Amino acid sequence: MADGQDFYQTLGVPRTASQDDIQRAYRRLARQYHPDVNHDPGAEDRFKDVSEAYDVLSDPGTRRRYDAFGADFRQVPEDMDPETFRRSRAGAGSRAGAGGGQARGARGSPGFSYSSGDIDIEDLLGGFFGGRAGRGWGPIPGADQEAELEITVEEAYRGTRRSISLSGDGARATLDVNVPAGVTDGQRIRLAGQGGRGTEGAANGDLYLIVRIAPHPRYRLDGRDLYVDLLLAPWEAALGTSVALDTPGGEAKVKVPAGTSSGRRLRLRGRGLPNSRGKPGDLFAEAKIMVPARPSRAERRLFEQLAAESDFDPRRQP
Amino acid sequence: MSHAMVRVPASRLTLDEFAMAAGLHPDLIRRLVALGIVEATYGPAGELRFSRSQLAVVARMQRLRAGLGLNYAAVALVTDLLDRIAVLETALRGSQWPGR
C-alpha cells in the first residue's frame, strides 16, 4: 500500500490541483470508503490509502517534499536540495546497474547516503497506518464487513467449501469457508475477527458472507422450496403417468394423476433444500403440457379425431 | 410470604465495566447516553446498565469520529441513517427472489 501508491492518483486529482481540490477529493472519497459506510472488504484499505494521501498532500510543506522526492520523501533529510537528491538517485541507480563494488557515492553528494530497505517505514510513521484513526484516538475496534458469496442451487443443497481471498493483509489472504447444506438466499455467514482491523490492539470486526444463490436454468427458489417444470405430453397429462424427475438430491419418481392440467403443482415433500434446524423445504413439480411442434401425419389425424369427438372446452365456465 | 421475582440479566454491564470494555472514560459514556448515541437501561437502584451489543455502537461512533471528523450530533444522525439503510437493504435482499 505504502510503496508505489501515487498520492495524487489515489485522490484522483492532477499534480497541479489546488489545496481546495485536494480537500474536496479527500472528503468525497472518505465518505465513500469509510468502513462503516462501505462494507466491502476492500473499502477499508482504500480508506486508509486515501487518508494517507491526504495527510501528505494537505500540508503544503510535505506536499512540496513529496513532489520533489517522490514516495521516499520521508527518508530524505529535511535540508536536502531536490537537485542534489536527483543527482544522487541517478548515481545510486547506475551503481546498482553496474553490479555494485564500485567506489561508493562517486557521483553522489558528500554526506548523504541513501539507504534503501534498512528503514522500516512503520517505525518512522508510528501508528500512522491505522489511517487518520491511528493518531490520538486510542484503540478502536474494527468495523464489520460484508461480501457476497455466490453458490449454485446444488451447492446450497449439499453444502460446499469455498476458498475466498481477501484483499489487504497477506497473512489472511485466503480463507476456507464451510458453507453448510441448506443455506438460503440472503443468509449471512459470520467469520469472527475477519473484518476490519482494530487499531492499537483493539479487536477486529467480523466478516459477513451473504449467500447468493445463482439463478438456475431449471430450479426456481422460494426460501427452501424448489420449483421445477414438469413437461408432459397431452396424453400423459390426460391419462396420468409416472415420470422420473431430476432433483438436487437425485432422481425422484413423480406420480402424475390423470386429468392434470398445466400449472398444477405436484408436491414432493422434503425434496427442497435441507434445513439443519427444522423442516426441509418441498419440491414442487409444475405440470407444463407440451405438444409436438411438427406432428406427424398420423399424430395429426389422431388429434383431429379427438377434436371431432371431444366436447371438452377449456374456456367454458363451469 | 412472597417475593417479587426480579430478573437480573447477567449480560448487563455497569457504567464502569462498560467504560472499561469500551476504553473510554465513564463521563464520556454518560454523555453518549444523554445524546442518545448509546442505549442504556436503569438498574434497580437507578444506575445505568449497558448491553454488550452497545460496545459495537461505541466502536462505530469512534470510527466515524476519527475517520470523518464528525461531531457527536453528526455521529448520532449518521448512525441512525446507517441503521435505516441496513434495514432497507435487508428488505431489498428479501425481495430479489420473487419466488412463485
Side-chain angles (χ1 to χ4, degrees), chain A residues 221-297:
Chain A
L221 205 59
D222 181 15
R224 291 197 161 80
D225 291 339
L226 284 170
Y227 292 81
V228 61
D229 286 340
L230 180 65
L231 306 185
L232 296 171
W235 44 92
E236 289 177 327
L239 306 175
T241 183
S242 183
V243 179
L245 182 69
D246 278 336
T247 77
E251 199 177 86
K253 276 262 184 291
V254 185
K255 260 184 109 67
V256 181
T260 292
S261 289
S262 274
R264 180 172 189 172
R265 286 180 190 165
L266 304 165
R267 171 153 72 167
L268 280 72
R269 204 180 288 277
R271 287 283 200 151
L273 297 185
N275 185 355
S276 57
R277 273 178 297 223
K279 232 162 57 68
D282 298 329
L283 185 137
F284 292 91
E286 273 188 358
K288 199 169 168 187
I289 296 169
M290 308 294 282
V291 296
R294 278 186 294 274
S296 67
R297 199 189 295 244

Side-chain angles (χ1 to χ4, degrees), chain A residues 26 30-31 34 36-37 47 132-133 137 139-144 146 185-186 188 210 212-215 220-222 227 265 286, chain B residues 21-24 55-56 58-70 78 82 86 89-90 93-94 96-100:
Chain A
Y26 161 69
R31 285 198 299 272
H34 189 281
D36 285 283
V37 177
F47 182 77
R132 305 182 76 71
W137 295 94
I140 303 179
D144 291 344
E146 289 180 353
D185 194 60
R188 286 148 60 98
I210 299 168
R212 282 268 156 265
I213 300 182
R220 295 180 300 278
L221 205 59
D222 181 15
Y227 292 81
R265 286 180 190 165
E286 273 188 358
Chain B
L24 295 174
L55 288 171
V58 172
R60 178 165 68 173
M61 176 219 69
Q62 289 176 285
R63 288 191 301 267
L64 288 167
R65 293 243 314 142
L68 296 175
L70 302 184
V78 168
L82 288 175
E89 281 181 343
T90 307
R93 246 178 240 141
Q96 270 174 357
W97 265 107
R100 298 282 305 186

Side-chain angles (χ1 to χ4, degrees), chain A residues 42-57:
Chain A
E44 181 174 52
D45 285 339
R46 198 64 214 279
F47 182 77
K48 285 177 181 168
D49 289 350
V50 164
S51 299
E52 190 192 357
Y54 180 67
D55 269 321
V56 171
L57 299 186

Side-chain angles (χ1 to χ4, degrees), chain B residues 23-99:
Chain B
L24 295 174
H25 195 278
D27 285 347
L28 177 55
I29 302 291
R30 234 189 266 278
R31 263 200 290 160
L32 294 176
V33 173
L35 283 161
I37 294 175
V38 172
E39 276 178 31
T41 54
Y42 290 95
E47 79 283 9
L48 289 170
R49 293 277 174 168
F50 298 86
S51 144
R52 277 202 165 270
S53 67
Q54 291 296 302
L55 288 171
V57 173
V58 172
R60 178 165 68 173
M61 176 219 69
Q62 289 176 285
R63 288 191 301 267
L64 288 167
R65 293 243 314 142
L68 296 175
L70 302 184
N71 63 28
Y72 287 115
V75 164
L77 174 67
V78 168
T79 303
D80 286 353
L81 293 176
L82 288 175
D83 287 344
R84 276 169 63 182
I85 290 171
V87 169
L88 292 172
E89 281 181 343
T90 307
L92 195 62
R93 246 178 240 141
S95 65
Q96 270 174 357
W97 265 107

